[in-house]
Amino acid sequence: MRLMSQLDMSTLRFGQHLIKASAVFLRTELSFALVNRKPVVPGHVLVCPLRPVERFRDLQPDELADLFSTTQRVANLVEKHFNATSLTIAIQDGPEAGQTVKHVHIHVLPRKPGDFDRNDSIYDELQKHDRENEDIPSKWRSEEEMAAEASYLRKQIENP
Amino acid sequence: MRLMSQLDMSTLRFGQHLIKASAVFLRTELSFALVNRKPVVPGHVLVCPLRPVERFRDLQPDELADLFSTTQRVANLVEKHFNATSLTIAIQDGPEAGQTVKHVHIHVLPRKPGDFDRNDSIYDELQKHDRENEDIPSKWRSEEEMAAEASYLRKQIENP
């Protein structure tokens, strides 16, 4: 009998959403990282605390340290595996900053020369990303596509 | 004789720049926070590691933990004292993400309802912020104005 993956196969809570384990490519003691249903650039992923807290200020010191060491690990991973040369790392903390999912999440976006006509517009896209009224399920990637990407990233972590 | 402030009065290195101690409002074991010469919104401040490393990946675990616990402290401070309700927290990590100062720095921006006509445009402004060819000294705030703001924030930290 094959051993089950170390990943807990149950769903994970992400604010008002439930995330399938197939979309999660890294889970640490206090954090998890997931692929994106509407990536703004290839390799655009999210890193979250396991505890569904709404605001950055709600994070305890151990959660904060784990969240950013996980983000550093994830940032290195996607920069390398999506052939990027830079990273945009951003938190929309609170409704006036564009947050709609009420669960702290760090956007990690691999960047390349000329990836946007106007370099700024990555931020326009990022802000639109979180808006619920523009969140049209028909524009999401398929579950299979997301699972394949998460599986690829999981393998890169297991066999770097 | 009055005691000197605990703040080291020498300048601090910020990539290719030297930052006057009067613009620094918080210094921890491994990090420092400074006011901005071109704030995109009132209370837009920067948090940096003391060690002048260029990329997010270059931070050691103790630097990373200190940087984000300092960022959390600073974020709470500016959200409260600039009467904001949300925060944008962003790192432009590498030239293709808009980084020009070769020293990791976290932008912390207090946000309010309607602070930008188009909510997205804060990011346009943020990206322009770091561009050297748009960095016109005549548009900077005066040293006195910056020192006064830093002094105010320092007092809020000392007597919360």
Side-chain angles (χ1 to χ4, degrees):
Chain A
M1 194 178 114
R2 284 190 62 190
L3 285 172
M4 286 290 284
S5 158
Q6 282 190 296
L7 194 72
D8 181 342
M9 294 308 284
S10 66
T11 54
L12 282 175
R13 186 167 159 206
F14 177 43
Q16 62 270 44
H17 305 291
L18 283 178
I19 302 296
K20 286 205 162 65
S22 62
V24 175
F25 62 91
L26 180 60
R27 183 168 166 169
T28 66
E29 197 192 336
L30 298 170
S31 310
F32 68 106
L34 66 151
V35 299
N36 212 312
R37 59 189 184 189
K38 300 169 297 174
V40 166
V41 289
H44 172 195
V45 296
L46 304 174
V47 188
C48 317
L50 280 168
R51 193 166 64 96
V53 296
E54 184 169 345
R55 294 290 311 269
F56 184 59
R57 63 173 168 243
D58 301 327
L59 293 165
Q60 298 295 324
D62 56 345
E63 292 174 317
L64 197 65
D66 188 275
L67 184 64
F68 284 96
S69 68
T70 305
T71 297
Q72 194 183 43
R73 207 170 152 195
V74 163
N76 283 342
L77 180 77
V78 296
E79 181 172 342
K80 181 177 170 197
H81 289 288
F82 289 87
N83 301 309
T85 48
S86 297
L87 293 156
T88 296
I89 298 169
I91 311 175
Q92 306 191 143
D93 187 43
E96 281 71 37
Q99 182 186 23
T100 59
V101 179
K102 293 179 191 300
H103 186 145
V104 173
H105 54 288
I106 303 177
H107 291 270
V108 178
L109 300 102
R111 302 292 308 272
K112 298 177 187 185
D115 57 1
F116 277 82
D117 279 354
R118 209 167 44 99
N119 194 25
D120 298 345
S121 65
I122 194 167
Y123 288 115
D124 292 359
E125 293 304 318
L126 191 58
Q127 196 110 9
K128 280 182 209 155
H129 179 275
D130 276 14
R131 272 190 214 133
E132 283 183 332
N133 58 0
E134 296 186 27
D135 194 5
I136 304 158
S138 63
K139 291 193 178 171
W140 298 349
R141 297 196 294 171
S142 72
E143 232 172 69
E144 291 71 26
E145 190 181 345
M146 291 170 66
E149 187 176 283
S151 168
Y152 170 78
L153 290 171
R154 218 177 287 127
K155 280 191 192 114
Q156 304 310 316
I157 291 171
E158 286 163 8
N159 305 299
Chain B
M1 194 180 116
R2 285 191 61 191
L3 286 171
M4 285 288 286
S5 159
Q6 282 189 296
L7 195 73
D8 180 341
M9 294 309 284
S10 66
T11 54
L12 281 176
R13 187 167 158 208
F14 177 43
Q16 63 270 44
H17 305 290
L18 283 178
I19 302 295
K20 286 206 162 65
S22 62
V24 175
F25 62 92
L26 180 60
R27 184 168 166 170
T28 66
E29 196 192 336
L30 298 170
S31 310
F32 68 106
L34 66 151
V35 300
N36 213 312
R37 58 190 184 190
K38 301 169 297 174
V40 166
V41 290
H44 173 195
V45 296
L46 304 175
V47 188
C48 317
L50 280 168
R51 193 166 64 95
V53 297
E54 184 170 346
R55 295 290 310 270
F56 185 60
R57 63 173 168 245
D58 302 327
L59 293 165
Q60 297 295 324
D62 56 345
E63 292 174 317
L64 196 65
D66 189 275
L67 184 63
F68 284 95
S69 68
T70 305
T71 297
Q72 194 183 43
R73 205 170 151 195
V74 164
N76 283 342
L77 180 77
V78 296
E79 181 171 342
K80 181 177 170 196
H81 289 288
F82 288 87
N83 300 311
T85 48
S86 297
L87 294 156
T88 296
I89 299 168
I91 311 174
Q92 307 192 143
D93 186 44
E96 282 70 39
Q99 182 185 23
T100 58
V101 179
K102 293 179 192 297
H103 186 144
V104 172
H105 54 289
I106 303 177
H107 292 269
V108 179
L109 301 101
R111 302 292 307 273
K112 297 177 188 186
D115 57 1
F116 277 82
D117 278 353
R118 210 166 43 100
N119 195 26
D120 299 345
S121 66
I122 195 166
Y123 289 116
D124 293 0
E125 293 304 317
L126 192 58
Q127 195 111 9
K128 280 182 208 155
H129 180 274
D130 276 13
R131 272 189 213 132
E132 283 183 332
N133 58 1
E134 296 186 27
D135 193 5
I136 304 156
S138 64
K139 291 192 177 173
W140 298 349
R141 296 196 294 171
S142 72
E143 232 171 70
E144 292 70 26
E145 192 181 344
M146 290 169 67
E149 187 176 282
S151 167
Y152 170 77
L153 289 171
R154 219 178 287 127
K155 280 191 192 115
Q156 304 311 316
I157 291 171
E158 286 163 10
N159 305 300

